[in-house]
Amino acid sequence: MSAAQAPNPDFAQLVPSVVLSMPAAAHLGFHFSRVEPGDVEIVQPHRRELTQHDGYFQGGVLGSLADFAAGSAAGTLLPVGWVNMTIDYTVKILAPAKGPTVVARGRVIKPGALLTIAAADVFSVEEAGETLCATALVTMRNVRLAAA
């Protein structure tokens, strides 16, 4: 969604800062590799504690990465003083994810004043290339922060 305009000029620093301050994000240990208006990419290194018994990323982790990527993409389009929260998401797991990294690419489908609809695709990255392993549709509730 490269044609989108970010109403907050500091979105590229603010979104990663807010997201990475969340305990769940800190536990996962991902980082942002791209932050643009309506479009983000996060990279999750493979870690044993995020896997099932056979070394594949656990499905809930893939869902969390999709949620963080889509929500972050939506967050890039919020005005100053606003945040968002997930109210609904649907994840379809399409293939196992076992590579050294997983990449989640979030994008805004339909921004709105109250609700923003976003999506994310999650890829397992290995030497041979990327494999689409999950896709998600996410609804975010936009919330104006109370003045401090």
Side-chain angles (χ1 to χ4, degrees):
M1 182 161 196
S2 57
Q5 295 292 321
N8 184 339
D10 298 323
F11 76 92
Q13 295 78 34
L14 183 65
V15 169
S17 175
V18 168
V19 171
L20 295 175
S21 73
M22 296 179 195
H27 173 72
L28 289 171
F30 62 79
H31 66 273
F32 285 81
S33 58
R34 184 178 71 245
V35 181
E36 298 175 6
D39 185 35
V40 304
E41 180 176 274
I42 60 176
V43 177
Q44 174 64 63
H46 188 275
R47 293 191 5 244
R48 184 179 175 278
E49 60 271 27
L50 302 179
T51 65
Q52 305 180 92
H53 57 85
D54 54 5
Y56 289 99
F57 279 87
Q58 196 273 338
V61 171
L62 299 178
S64 292
L65 294 171
D67 181 32
F68 275 117
S72 296
T76 65
L77 301 183
L78 293 174
V80 174
W82 286 71
V83 295
N84 59 16
M85 297 175 203
T86 305
I87 61 171
D88 179 70
Y89 73 99
T90 301
V91 178
K92 300 298 181 189
I93 297 176
L94 307 171
K98 193 174 185 174
T101 59
V102 169
V103 173
R105 297 183 180 114
R107 65 194 179 284
V108 171
I109 303 295
K110 175 88 168 93
L114 181 63
L115 299 176
T116 297
I117 309 303
D121 293 318
V122 182
F123 298 86
S124 179
V125 181
E126 300 182 67
E127 283 185 32
E130 295 184 349
T131 301
L132 178 63
C133 57
T135 189
L137 187 61
V138 181
T139 304
M140 303 300 295
R141 169 70 160 89
N142 305 324
V143 179
R144 183 171 174 73
L145 295 173

